[in-house]
Amino acid sequence: MLPERRPVVLCADDYGLSPGVSRGILELAREGRISATGSMTNIPAFRTDAPPLRELAGTVGLGLHLTLTAGAPLGAMPRVARHGRLPPLGRILFASLSGRLPTSEIRGEIERQLDAFAQAMGRLPDFIDGHQHVHVLPGVRGALLAALAARRWRGWLRDPGDRPAAIRAR
């Protein structure tokens, strides 16, 4: 007996990280070699790289790669990003696990990244995941779910199944 066939989604994360990364992802998508890509809407290259990606809607899944550990926030985050740069994963992880993550700032940044995606793509994302899996951390997960519920979003939310210790180990 043959095993059950399951669809495989091959997703290229980090669209918008740099012009080169975006070009490579666009090429793979146009050739049908990937089935989805997640965009980092807080990285400056995303704004210029978004139009050609929008043309691929319906041929590949277009998602938000929620970013809280790279680049600059899209708005003021005086406690999380005091100097205008998002912190490294270790700082977000510590604040999350110690209950010190300012969830109102996190929710605001999630909203801004969702808005940036919607403005560039003309719609909400097909799916959401998080750069370095930050979307599953305590304080981030609740803020994300609240932001999505407020928008009545119906899409896929990646569950990497990672425990915080596994994320920290990476």
Side-chain angles (χ1 to χ4, degrees):
M1 184 165 111
L2 292 174
E4 177 186 341
R5 288 187 178 203
R6 297 180 186 179
V8 173
V9 174
L10 184 59
C11 181
D13 287 340
D14 299 348
Y15 189 86
L17 179 63
S18 71
V21 168
S22 296
R23 274 192 311 274
I25 290 172
L26 282 172
E27 184 177 321
L28 291 169
R30 288 175 178 144
E31 292 175 1
R33 305 212 38 208
I34 61 171
S35 43
T37 186
S39 296
M40 301 174 87
T41 62
N42 71 311
I43 305 293
F46 174 75
R47 290 183 264 302
T48 56
D49 293 343
L53 183 62
R54 185 176 180 167
E55 295 170 13
L56 295 175
T59 62
V60 296
L62 302 178
L64 173 65
H65 195 53
L66 179 65
T67 307
L68 299 174
T69 60
L74 293 176
M77 295 183 80
R79 291 181 57 204
V80 174
R82 276 178 250 131
H83 304 292
R85 302 288 303 165
L86 290 165
L89 177 60
R91 281 201 6 232
I92 289 283
L93 185 62
F94 177 79
S96 169
L97 296 178
S98 65
R100 296 181 184 153
L101 199 60
T103 55
S104 62
E105 282 188 22
I106 296 297
R107 168 102 186 245
E109 183 59 18
I110 290 168
E111 296 278 359
R112 290 186 291 271
Q113 289 187 29
L114 282 165
D115 288 344
F117 184 95
Q119 182 178 7
M121 297 298 139
R123 62 186 179 81
L124 290 173
D126 298 319
F127 67 91
I128 297 172
D129 70 354
H131 185 61
Q132 299 180 310
H133 300 179
V134 296
H135 67 296
V136 299
L137 294 175
V140 176
R141 179 180 54 240
L144 175 59
L145 292 174
L148 295 174
R151 293 165 184 258
R152 299 182 190 275
W153 178 76
R154 306 294 272 178
W156 296 93
L157 182 59
R158 182 176 181 206
D159 178 3
D162 277 359
R163 294 179 313 279
I167 296 170
R168 187 178 63 241
R170 281 196 301 278

